[in-house]
Amino acid sequence: MSDYLVRATGFNGNVRAFAARTTGIVEDIRKRHGMLNTASAALGRTLTVTAMMGAMLKGDERISVKINGGGPIGSIFAEANAHGELRAYATNPQVHFELNELGKLDVRRAVGTDGFLYVTKDLGLREPYQGSVPIVSGEIGEDFSYYFVVSEQTPSAVAVGVLVNPEDHSIFGSGGFILQLLPGTPEEDIAKIEEKISKLPQVSRLIAEGITPEELIAKVLDNPTIHSKLDLTFNCGCSAEKVGNTLASLGKAELMSMQREEGGAEVHCHFCNELYQFNYDDLQEIINDLDK
Ligand SMILES: [Zn+2]
């Protein structure tokens, strides 16, 4: 089953909605970084919201999210664009705790509650849009709900979840939805939405059982209309060429000192965990190009 999201509206156009399945991508990231269960849940929840926020963009606009609540996972970074290309990592991927009192992965404990959620959107303007809110929950979904209300003045319900196989740490299911109330949504619709969400089983379990994003939308919206579907893929975008350009920007003196002291250079991509190695001659080539 491939990962994708859908854009929808419901309640006679009063509510805008997104629903996503990210199981495969979170499993890919887990394997790349050897993530443990609680960290996978925190990262997967963050990635799922970021993917849906990416789907709110147009053209070549991009979004990056950073969450740092002072907890043992460190910082979580997630990026997405309007084409459904995603990447994410956590600075400390090997974080796991006992299940919390609700029998769920203790994401709050991994993330912490003393810090901020940062959102940066590159909208092709001179300055990127930047917003940040204090972390109010550490469970990720509630933190984004708070962000949407405070920073974007859009009342939103965010439900995201990741179900992890306790035996081998693999991802059973990852996904979720965002509902956004458009101005003038009648009170009775808001009450209905709240009732539907309160009756909904855990979203991670639904996804693991095979519910599609379309079916998830149908569970939370009255009279839903699906407008479009977007395939989601892991795409780091890093390459030997881009890393070479970064090295070149360090300048000739620095590159020569790397040649002398290390005999080359090793550059590690935080997002995909790829290691780029440049030997003495590779660096010489970059230096020669600088001299041209
Ligand atoms: Zn990479």
Side-chain angles (χ1 to χ4, degrees):
M1 278 197 299
S2 59
D3 290 343
Y4 67 94
L5 63 76
V6 293
R7 303 178 181 93
T9 50
F11 288 95
N12 304 313
N14 284 320
V15 178
R16 162 168 106 137
F18 301 82
R21 179 172 62 214
T22 56
T23 309
I25 297 171
V26 176
E27 172 67 0
D28 183 359
I29 295 172
R30 176 195 74 81
K31 283 198 229 157
R32 286 174 184 275
H33 295 277
M35 299 189 77
L36 296 182
N37 305 6
T38 313
S40 295
L43 179 133
R45 290 180 191 183
T46 307
L47 181 79
T48 302
V49 181
T50 307
M52 293 188 278
M53 292 177 80
M56 298 173 191
L57 303 176
K58 310 182 289 289
D60 290 324
E61 295 172 355
R62 302 185 55 79
I63 176 169
S64 36
V65 166
K66 176 184 171 187
I67 292 180
N68 186 315
I73 197 169
S75 294
I76 304 168
F77 297 89
E79 296 185 6
N81 61 21
H83 309 298
E85 295 171 330
L86 313 175
R87 61 178 188 169
Y89 76 99
T91 46
N92 300 315
Q94 277 95 28
V95 174
H96 184 58
F97 294 112
E98 295 295 308
L99 300 183
N100 65 19
E101 65 281 2
L102 300 171
K104 295 167 76 172
L105 287 164
D106 202 347
V107 169
R108 180 198 309 259
R109 189 170 166 196
V111 171
T113 52
D114 183 18
F116 286 85
L117 159 64
Y118 304 89
V119 173
T120 305
K121 295 183 198 176
D122 179 355
L123 305 175
L125 306 171
R126 189 190 294 261
E127 296 287 330
Y129 161 91
Q130 284 182 309
S132 64
V133 290
I135 290 179
V136 290
S137 147
E139 294 284 352
I140 310 292
E142 292 160 32
D143 296 297
F144 277 102
S145 296
Y146 186 71
Y147 164 81
F148 282 121
V149 171
V150 172
S151 273
E152 302 199 0
Q153 290 78 47
T154 308
S156 306
V158 181
V160 281
V162 180
L163 193 66
V164 185
N165 181 343
E167 304 292 324
D168 65 1
H169 315 303
S170 66
I171 308 299
F172 277 143
S174 173
F177 61 84
I178 298 175
L179 304 184
Q180 299 197 308
L181 303 181
L182 301 178
T185 305
E187 283 299 327
E188 66 254 36
D189 285 355
I190 297 173
K192 268 195 199 168
I193 292 167
E194 282 170 355
E195 193 193 341
K196 278 172 179 288
I197 291 177
S198 69
K199 286 184 179 160
L200 198 70
Q202 273 180 37
V203 67
S204 60
R205 205 161 282 284
L206 290 172
I207 300 269
E209 286 165 4
I211 195 173
T212 65
E214 290 89 340
E215 289 164 343
L216 193 52
I217 290 286
K219 279 193 181 290
V220 290
L221 291 186
D222 272 3
N223 312 315
T225 305
I226 304 288
H227 296 287
S228 58
K229 181 179 161 180
L230 179 67
D231 286 326
L232 299 175
T233 53
F234 179 89
N235 188 340
C236 187
C238 69
S239 66
E241 191 189 345
K242 284 186 188 170
V243 176
N245 290 339
T246 307
L247 285 174
S249 72
L250 298 175
K252 192 173 165 182
E254 180 67 26
L255 293 170
M256 287 171 72
S257 125
M258 286 175 169
Q259 281 180 315
R260 249 187 345 263
E261 284 160 27
E262 314 281 340
E266 277 192 349
V267 180
H268 171 237
C269 176
H270 293 299
F271 276 100
C272 66
N273 217 17
E274 192 76 41
L275 185 65
Y276 292 96
Q277 290 177 306
F278 293 79
N279 64 22
Y280 190 98
D281 293 340
D282 297 332
L283 291 184
Q284 192 58 47
E285 234 174 83
I286 296 172
I287 291 167
N288 294 345
D289 281 345
L290 284 175
D291 284 339
K292 272 178 195 163

